Amino acid sequence: MTGSTREQKLYCWDCLLFGADSGSWARDGYSDLGSLSKSAHRHQNGSGHLRATIRLKTFGDTRIELQLDEQQHRDVIAHNEKVKRNRGILKRLINCVVYFGKQELPF
Ligand SMILES: [Zn+2]
């Protein structure tokens, strides 16, 4: 938890940095101190907060070079699948041309 003295509001540090939703703890700030404990407990068990906490805890664990290598590997696999499919199509066309040639048939 963190706060802003200028705005007099509290924020959730994890959600502020890595939260995807724009709840009061992440973007708008929380200012109702009367129900702070209940609201903080509810926020702490929310799925958005848990996702943000996991992102914060795992931030920096994976090196960017490894992620780029993984993406490049996926691109190579996709390219190879496309080439394999196109070769299959070309092979069928060549077989048709050979068949027409052997049978002396026009296109
Ligand atoms: Zn949070």
Side-chain angles (χ1 to χ4, degrees):
M1 189 178 302
T2 185
S4 168
T5 55
R6 191 180 76 190
E7 297 184 17
Q8 297 292 312
K9 291 186 177 180
L10 296 171
Y11 298 90
C12 172
W13 183 248
D14 300 1
C15 292
L16 192 62
L17 292 178
F18 292 99
D21 51 335
S22 59
S24 62
W25 285 95
R27 303 285 181 251
D28 306 331
Y30 188 80
S31 58
D32 183 16
L33 296 180
S35 59
L36 174 65
S37 177
K38 186 185 292 183
S39 179
H41 184 69
R42 191 176 336 124
H43 173 75
Q44 191 174 12
N45 293 325
S47 62
H49 174 78
L50 293 175
R51 276 194 298 272
T53 301
I54 290 171
R55 285 189 197 122
L56 178 64
K57 298 292 182 197
T58 58
F59 181 70
D61 286 351
T62 305
R63 296 179 55 149
I64 190 70
E65 298 88 19
L66 297 176
Q67 289 178 344
L68 291 174
D69 285 347
E70 189 175 314
Q71 180 61 40
Q72 187 177 17
H73 182 67
R74 282 193 294 253
D75 289 346
V76 167
I77 288 173
H79 175 75
N80 288 344
E81 287 295 322
K82 188 176 181 180
V83 167
K84 185 178 179 181
R85 190 179 68 232
N86 288 342
R87 283 182 179 167
I89 292 170
L90 191 58
K91 186 176 180 179
R92 281 182 272 166
L93 291 174
I94 290 172
N95 286 341
C96 288
V97 171
V98 169
Y99 176 77
F100 288 149
K102 284 183 179 175
Q103 299 296 322
E104 296 182 4
L105 295 172
F107 280 97

